[in-house]
Amino acid sequence: MIITIDGLAMKKKEDFYQNIKEELDVPEYFGNNLDALYDFLTEQPDRLQIKFLHYDRMCTQLGAPFCQKLLKVLQDADILTIIEEY
């Protein structure tokens, strides 16, 4: 499964988590934090790939520390991450 996250639409962290909820069909009790994301990702039987468009813009809007932690979570969860800039 491949999901695409467009960084231009990520104005705040809540936008990112809402996008994740919609793309991955996470349960209602999903917490809007990176620990919850890691837990969810590591419980999935299917191989997942995440493609980021306009990643630099997303980092500007959400903050570089958040984006660095997000990439670490994806790496630790063994999620193939593709970053494309347009």
Side-chain angles (χ1 to χ4, degrees):
M1 171 184 217
I2 300 173
I3 67 167
T4 301
I5 297 176
D6 186 349
L8 295 177
M10 304 299 124
K11 306 288 187 212
K12 53 190 177 194
K13 291 176 189 171
E14 291 80 11
D15 297 333
F16 170 77
Y17 289 115
Q18 183 61 40
N19 186 268
I20 288 293
K21 288 177 180 179
E22 292 169 2
E23 292 284 340
L24 296 178
D25 193 31
V26 298
E28 287 295 320
Y29 59 84
F30 177 81
N32 287 348
N33 60 67
L34 293 175
D35 289 334
L37 179 60
Y38 174 82
D39 291 343
F40 176 79
L41 293 174
T42 56
E43 294 170 358
Q44 299 309 301
D46 296 333
R47 186 81 174 134
L48 176 67
Q49 296 179 22
I50 297 179
K51 180 192 292 187
F52 289 97
L53 303 176
H54 310 285
Y55 179 78
D56 286 346
R57 180 67 177 262
M58 184 177 90
C59 290
T60 298
Q61 295 173 157
L62 303 185
F66 174 81
C67 289
Q68 291 169 348
K69 291 175 188 174
L70 171 61
L71 288 182
K72 177 77 169 114
V73 163
L74 297 176
Q75 179 183 23
D76 290 349
D78 198 27
I79 303 299
L80 177 60
T81 305
I82 302 163
I83 297 175
E84 294 183 4
E85 293 297 332
Y86 296 155

